[in-house]
Amino acid sequence: MEDNNIQDTGSGNLERPVRHHRRDASNDKYFKIRNTLNIIFIIGAIVGMAVFYFHDRTTGTIVILTAMAFKIAECCFRFIRQ
Protein backbone atom coordinates (compact mmCIF):
# COMPACT_ATOMS: atom_id res chain seq x y z
CA MET A 1 0.00 0.00 0.00
CA GLU A 2 1.48 3.34 -1.03
CA ASP A 3 1.13 6.44 1.16
CA ASN A 4 0.56 9.60 -0.90
CA ASN A 5 1.27 11.80 2.12
CA ILE A 6 5.04 11.07 2.17
CA GLN A 7 7.63 13.62 1.05
CA ASP A 8 11.05 12.58 -0.25
CA THR A 9 13.80 14.57 1.48
CA GLY A 10 16.39 13.78 -1.19
CA SER A 11 18.93 12.51 1.37
CA GLY A 12 18.75 8.77 0.99
CA ASN A 13 15.92 6.63 2.19
CA LEU A 14 14.60 9.00 4.85
CA GLU A 15 11.01 10.03 4.29
CA ARG A 16 8.90 12.42 6.34
CA PRO A 17 5.14 12.86 6.26
CA VAL A 18 3.92 16.17 4.89
CA ARG A 19 2.43 18.29 7.68
CA HIS A 20 -0.04 21.08 7.16
CA HIS A 21 -0.40 23.05 10.39
CA ARG A 22 -1.14 26.53 9.10
CA ARG A 23 -3.33 27.92 6.42
CA ASP A 24 -1.75 29.96 3.70
CA ALA A 25 -2.01 33.69 4.49
CA SER A 26 -2.87 34.46 0.86
CA ASN A 27 -6.16 32.54 1.26
CA ASP A 28 -7.24 34.74 4.19
CA LYS A 29 -8.97 37.80 2.77
CA TYR A 30 -8.98 39.51 6.20
CA PHE A 31 -5.26 38.97 6.89
CA LYS A 32 -4.18 42.63 6.67
CA ILE A 33 -7.09 44.02 8.66
CA ARG A 34 -6.60 41.34 11.34
CA ASN A 35 -2.93 42.23 11.65
CA THR A 36 -3.77 45.93 11.88
CA LEU A 37 -6.35 45.27 14.60
CA ASN A 38 -3.82 43.13 16.50
CA ILE A 39 -1.21 45.90 16.34
CA ILE A 40 -3.75 48.45 17.62
CA PHE A 41 -4.67 46.06 20.43
CA ILE A 42 -1.06 45.49 21.50
CA ILE A 43 -0.21 49.19 21.47
CA GLY A 44 -3.43 50.03 23.29
CA ALA A 45 -2.79 47.39 25.95
CA ILE A 46 0.76 48.65 26.57
CA VAL A 47 -0.35 52.28 26.74
CA GLY A 48 -3.29 51.34 28.95
CA MET A 49 -1.05 49.47 31.39
CA ALA A 50 1.34 52.42 31.54
CA VAL A 51 -1.52 54.85 32.21
CA PHE A 52 -3.03 52.45 34.74
CA TYR A 53 0.18 52.10 36.77
CA PHE A 54 1.72 55.56 36.43
CA HIS A 55 -1.23 57.96 36.14
CA ASP A 56 -4.95 57.39 36.64
CA ARG A 57 -6.45 53.94 37.21
CA THR A 58 -9.83 54.84 35.73
CA THR A 59 -8.36 56.24 32.51
CA GLY A 60 -6.02 53.25 32.23
CA THR A 61 -8.95 50.88 32.58
CA ILE A 62 -10.86 52.70 29.84
CA VAL A 63 -7.84 52.54 27.51
CA ILE A 64 -7.43 48.80 28.16
CA LEU A 65 -11.13 48.12 27.58
CA THR A 66 -10.98 50.07 24.32
CA ALA A 67 -7.98 47.98 23.24
CA MET A 68 -9.95 44.85 24.10
CA ALA A 69 -12.74 46.01 21.78
CA PHE A 70 -10.21 45.95 18.91
CA LYS A 71 -9.19 42.41 19.90
CA ILE A 72 -12.83 41.30 19.93
CA ALA A 73 -13.27 42.78 16.44
CA GLU A 74 -10.19 40.84 15.28
CA CYS A 75 -11.64 37.64 16.72
CA CYS A 76 -14.88 38.23 14.82
CA PHE A 77 -12.91 38.51 11.57
CA ARG A 78 -11.12 35.27 12.45
CA PHE A 79 -14.46 33.47 12.93
CA ILE A 80 -15.87 34.70 9.59
CA ARG A 81 -12.58 34.14 7.74
CA GLN A 82 -14.02 31.86 5.08
Side-chain angles (χ1 to χ4, degrees):
M1 180 174 211
E2 186 177 316
D3 190 5
N4 293 333
N5 199 19
I6 301 295
Q7 175 182 354
D8 184 17
T9 59
S11 60
N13 294 332
L14 299 176
E15 293 181 350
R16 294 186 304 190
V18 178
R19 305 207 190 284
H20 302 283
H21 292 285
R22 295 182 183 203
R23 292 184 182 174
D24 189 15
S26 62
N27 291 340
D28 187 3
K29 58 185 174 182
Y30 299 116
F31 183 73
K32 286 185 179 182
I33 192 163
R34 285 181 51 223
N35 277 345
T36 304
L37 290 170
N38 271 328
I39 290 169
I40 292 170
F41 163 71
I42 292 169
I43 292 170
I46 292 170
V47 169
M49 292 299 290
V51 170
F52 184 85
Y53 284 115
F54 298 117
H55 294 290
D56 184 30
R57 292 182 76 137
T58 305
T59 306
T61 303
I62 292 170
V63 172
I64 292 170
L65 289 173
T66 304
M68 288 175 63
F70 284 100
K71 185 62 179 176
I72 291 168
E74 186 271 331
C75 289
C76 291
F77 279 114
R78 190 181 324 152
F79 289 139
I80 62 171
R81 167 175 23 203
Q82 297 295 336

